[in-house]
Amino acid sequence: MYRISALILLAIVLWTGLPAQAAPSVAANAEEALRVSRASEGRVLGEHHLHDQNGEPVDLARYRGKPLVVSMVYTACDHTCPVTTQTTAKAVATARRALGSDSFNVVTIGFDTVRDTPEALRVFARQQGLPVENWSFLAGDSDGMAKLAADLGFSWFVTSRGFDHIAQTTVIDAGGKIYRQVYGENFEVPLLVEPLKDLVLGRSAALTSVTAIGNRIRLFCTVYDPSSDAYRFDYGIVLDLGFGALALATIIWLTLKLWRESRARH
């Protein structure tokens, strides 16, 4: 019956000369999807009420006070979402080793509001081998999810296979402002860790305390080592800075000494 109906519809399109319209997709609207996503950077997220993997109500505002990584998936996905999740998990593990296990939070949000229930998200987390410490799995209703997606600059379309969506991981600062968007299902580790470094160690923070100065040193001396695919503290940078400061102090001392001797002779 369905095959006959499809054939009849095709015959009508051919007979009338009307063009068959392709289903909307992110691929067909890539430039617009990227523009919308980029435009969200600098935006402060509003209040968004969700439920965690245990069915408990959660507002995204509760994560303020620390940087937050947001990954949007749908749990029935058998291709892009699992790959993106594993890539995110690898980058998160690297960041936590470099910056501290409790220095930021992570949430995975299921945007398929029909099937992404708290139970489905629990199963997804277990299947992906994801840690539950400082990592939450959130579900919501259709209206709330549409508003959240708009806030995050996240685009998706319904397809015959499920959903076509932008592969986007969002880094949010401690005040709830979108700091950076990371794209791709197989993004490189530093693309996520570097913005987290900025936020955790305070690239723009005022140097008004010993802690702030120590964090600034850690910021510049914690570097990515491609050979080990990990971050390490580079003591060579500290030594270079120390020798540079010593050399500068020596030059200043010699200049002052020569100036005083010159004045004494006159």
Side-chain angles (χ1 to χ4, degrees):
M1 175 65 71
Y2 293 113
R3 186 175 180 181
I4 293 173
S5 299
L7 290 173
I8 292 173
L9 178 59
L10 178 60
I12 292 172
V13 169
L14 293 174
W15 179 70
T16 60
L18 296 175
Q21 295 187 1
S25 67
V26 168
N29 298 273
E31 289 187 6
E32 177 63 12
L34 187 60
R35 184 196 67 78
V36 170
S37 177
R38 285 293 192 197
S40 71
E41 292 183 344
R43 178 183 300 151
V44 177
L45 293 182
E47 293 187 0
H48 296 284
H49 304 287
L50 304 162
H51 287 84
D52 67 14
Q53 66 270 23
N54 299 314
E56 297 296 325
V58 173
D59 192 306
L60 278 186
R62 69 174 278 188
Y63 296 101
R64 293 188 181 182
K66 293 182 181 179
L68 176 67
V69 176
V70 177
S71 178
M72 300 283 282
V73 304
Y74 68 101
T75 58
C77 179
D78 60 0
H79 41 94
T80 301
C81 294
V83 174
T84 304
T85 299
Q86 289 302 313
T87 302
T88 302
K90 176 183 176 182
V92 163
T94 300
R96 284 180 170 162
R97 285 193 295 270
L99 304 174
S101 59
D102 62 346
S103 58
F104 62 93
N105 292 306
V106 187
V107 296
T108 291
I109 301 175
F111 65 86
D112 180 358
T113 56
V114 175
R115 287 172 290 188
D116 289 345
T117 61
E119 171 62 25
L121 287 163
R122 282 202 307 273
V123 172
F124 180 80
R126 186 166 59 248
Q127 290 173 339
Q128 297 299 315
L130 300 177
V132 294
E133 183 180 359
N134 299 327
W135 194 321
S136 300
F137 305 87
L138 308 179
D141 59 35
S142 58
D143 289 341
M145 197 60 65
K147 293 176 182 177
L148 175 58
D151 241 7
L152 291 171
F154 179 78
S155 302
W156 84 84
F157 298 96
V158 178
T159 70
S160 58
R161 294 184 57 190
F163 297 91
D164 180 28
H165 61 92
I166 187 170
Q168 167 185 301
T169 305
T170 306
V171 180
I172 299 170
D173 72 13
K177 181 189 296 182
I178 296 175
Y179 181 71
R180 188 73 52 81
Q181 299 285 14
V182 180
Y183 301 106
E185 56 192 88
N186 276 306
F187 60 81
E188 295 186 0
V189 166
L191 291 177
L192 183 64
V193 180
E194 288 299 321
L196 286 172
K197 267 180 58 181
D198 289 350
L199 297 176
V200 172
L201 299 179
R203 179 177 291 276
S204 60
L207 301 180
T208 56
S209 67
V210 174
T211 299
I213 295 172
N215 282 341
R216 186 64 57 85
I217 293 173
R218 285 181 61 200
L219 175 69
F220 288 108
C221 296
T222 302
V223 296
Y224 179 68
D225 181 6
S227 63
S228 61
D229 194 23
Y231 277 76
R232 61 182 177 81
F233 190 87
D234 190 344
Y235 290 95
I237 296 177
V238 177
L239 292 176
D240 288 343
L241 291 173
F243 284 128
L246 180 61
L248 179 61
T250 301
I251 291 171
I252 294 173
W253 178 75
L254 286 173
T255 301
L256 288 173
K257 181 181 179 183
L258 292 172
W259 177 73
R260 287 171 178 168
E261 291 177 350
S262 175
R263 290 197 58 174
R265 287 194 298 268
H266 292 83

